[in-house]
Amino acid sequence: MRILHTSDWHIGRSFHGHATLDALRGVLDAIVAQVREHRVDVVVLAGDVFDSAAPSPACYTLLTDALSALSDAGARIVVTSGNHDSAARLGFQAALLREGIAVLTDPRGVGIPVTIDDADGPVHFYGIPYLEPAVVRATWEGTDLRSQAQTMAHAMTLVRADMAVRGGRSVAIAHCFAAGVEATPGVEREIRQGGLDVVPLSTFDGPDYVALGHIHGRSQLSERVRYAGAPLHYSFGEADKPRGSWLVDLGPDGLAAVEWLPLPLPRRLVTVRGTLDELLAHPRYAEHEDAWVCAQYTDATPQSDPMRRLLRRFPFCATVQHTPEGLPVADGLDYAERVRAAHDDVELFDAFLAHVRAGEGATDDERALIREVLDTRTLTEASR
């Protein structure tokens, strides 16, 4: 049996205020093409289908179109919910979908597989929706569930108990932080406190393959336990992470092969750095004019209207950061101490500028201008 492992579509997520639905639609069309090309039997979507618990109608349309296209390409589909999804809303849609598309969102169904047969016999797909300990305690009364790790361990115990009865090959699908993987800062919403909710890798012992979701970067924790990551880049912190899916082959005796299938990037993500004048004019940045740009300008002082100016050169400039270089070493004085140390009004202005510029006071030209303004004010007041 041939399986395509994908996850974290995050339908409806924006990128620095820009909609991503059209870009995601193009990438999902590429996944459909891969399903046809590689004759995939089953597509597994491991959670975070939507980006929010209340997606817009356009998000539902995109999901329905994508699942229908995958089905038309000849694949069965198994979907689970993630921590961004509303399990109730996603599960409600399940009843409206065509045969061959299973959407698993109810924790009461953990341990009950979707069974799909091939020439070598049955393969049992155990979908584990995102499990919030405080929510599922009522589902599994009498079980100590205080952390994600405990909850996932209980769910996998149910899975292994069913596997022991049914026999045959099996795939588990889950959405969590697993030990040995590193999150992308500022990207994946936390579902842990400290290290308590990191799920040990041994928790997933048993199935022939474990398809994980939640981490946006491709990751292999073992030969049989993997993250596929998101199909789109949703932050500049992900720019160096490849986009794609795992193509998994199950033979008659279990896992036979795993191959990475890359996906196209609708638009590159780059971070450019230099003074604002350099970013606006230097030829070395020309190759990035059609990319999503994070612009870091290094001028010592904040510049006027940098985003508007940068958009003239970089139409897809998404964010601007002031990251000054070469500032003087801070003298350790707070603002009140700077003010008390000033001997005249010029030094008072200098103290203010040093405070807001992380230690850099007025330049010679600025100091001359300040003195001129103060002198003019003094003459004006004296003439009254």
Side-chain angles (χ1 to χ4, degrees):
M1 180 175 290
R2 179 158 281 183
I3 301 162
L4 190 75
H5 167 199
T6 180
S7 72
D8 295 275
W9 288 4
H10 285 280
I11 301 173
R13 186 161 187 160
S14 63
F15 179 76
H16 293 276
H18 300 270
T20 62
L21 280 181
D22 288 342
L24 181 59
R25 183 180 292 276
V27 174
L28 296 182
D29 286 345
I31 291 179
V32 173
Q34 290 177 343
V35 166
R36 285 199 176 95
E37 177 185 355
H38 296 277
R39 298 182 179 180
V40 171
D41 300 299
V42 182
V43 173
V44 168
L45 173 50
D48 279 356
V49 179
F50 295 118
D51 189 60
S52 74
S56 69
C59 296
Y60 281 106
T61 299
L62 177 55
L63 176 62
T64 302
D65 290 348
L67 296 182
S68 298
L70 290 170
S71 179
D72 290 341
R76 299 280 295 272
I77 304 150
V78 182
V79 181
T80 60
S81 52
N83 60 300
H84 279 250
D85 298 309
S86 163
R89 285 190 175 94
L90 188 60
F92 173 78
Q93 191 181 24
L96 308 178
L97 296 171
R98 67 176 70 175
E99 185 179 356
I101 304 174
V103 181
L104 309 177
T105 64
D106 190 343
R108 292 172 298 182
V110 172
I112 303 173
V114 173
T115 299
I116 300 173
D117 294 308
D118 69 358
D120 298 314
V123 177
H124 307 297
F125 291 82
Y126 293 93
I128 304 174
Y130 169 66
L131 302 172
E132 178 63 49
V135 175
V136 298
R137 286 186 195 124
T139 301
W140 297 316
E141 294 182 4
T143 305
D144 186 19
L145 302 177
R146 292 172 295 171
S147 70
Q148 185 91 70
Q150 291 172 322
T151 305
M152 190 61 68
H154 181 70
M156 285 302 299
T157 297
L158 297 177
V159 167
R160 281 188 288 269
D162 190 81
M163 287 171 52
V165 174
R166 295 179 190 272
R169 297 161 294 165
S170 59
V171 174
I173 311 157
H175 194 88
C176 64
F177 273 118
V181 70
E182 183 177 348
T184 307
V187 177
E188 293 95 4
R189 184 180 299 166
E190 288 288 341
I191 52 175
R192 60 179 178 180
Q193 295 178 352
L196 293 179
D197 283 359
V198 175
V199 180
L201 185 58
S202 60
T203 301
F204 300 107
D205 288 349
D208 295 291
Y209 184 78
V210 179
L212 295 180
H214 185 60
I215 301 300
H216 285 196
R218 175 185 69 182
S219 185
Q220 177 181 337
L221 305 186
S222 74
E223 186 62 26
R224 40 175 289 283
V225 182
R226 300 171 187 249
Y227 284 96
L232 274 184
H233 288 123
Y234 288 114
S235 87
F236 285 98
E238 304 176 46
D240 61 342
K241 299 180 185 295
R243 306 288 88 169
S245 307
W246 291 113
L247 185 66
V248 181
D249 282 322
L250 293 185
D253 299 319
L255 186 63
V258 184
E259 177 187 354
W260 177 252
L261 297 183
L263 286 170
L265 298 179
R267 193 175 301 283
R268 295 178 302 116
L269 275 69
V270 298
T271 297
V272 295
R273 185 174 177 83
T275 66
L276 187 59
D277 286 345
E278 289 173 340
L279 296 178
L280 292 172
H282 202 288
R284 70 172 175 268
Y285 302 112
E287 63 179 306
H288 305 312
E289 290 174 358
D290 63 345
W292 286 117
V293 167
C294 169
Q296 298 177 343
Y297 72 93
T298 59
D299 303 69
T301 58
Q303 300 297 294
S304 173
D305 207 1
M307 175 61 88
R308 180 183 60 80
R309 296 162 67 186
L310 284 162
L311 283 170
R312 294 173 184 169
R313 182 174 194 186
F314 305 105
F316 302 99
C317 184
T319 183
V320 178
Q321 301 170 356
H322 181 217
T323 56
E325 290 181 349
L327 293 180
V329 177
D331 54 17
L333 298 177
D334 62 23
Y335 184 52
E337 291 171 328
R338 294 180 193 277
V339 169
R340 285 194 294 268
H343 295 95
D344 55 28
D345 288 346
V346 174
E347 290 188 6
L348 190 61
F349 274 94
D350 190 67
F352 171 76
L353 292 173
H355 175 68
V356 298
R357 293 175 175 176
E360 182 185 24
T363 64
D364 291 341
D365 289 343
E366 289 171 336
R367 193 173 287 106
L369 179 60
I370 292 168
R371 188 172 298 280
E372 180 182 343
V373 171
L374 290 173
D375 289 345
T376 301
R377 186 197 66 176
T378 300
L379 289 173
T380 301
E381 292 177 347
S383 65
R384 290 175 180 172

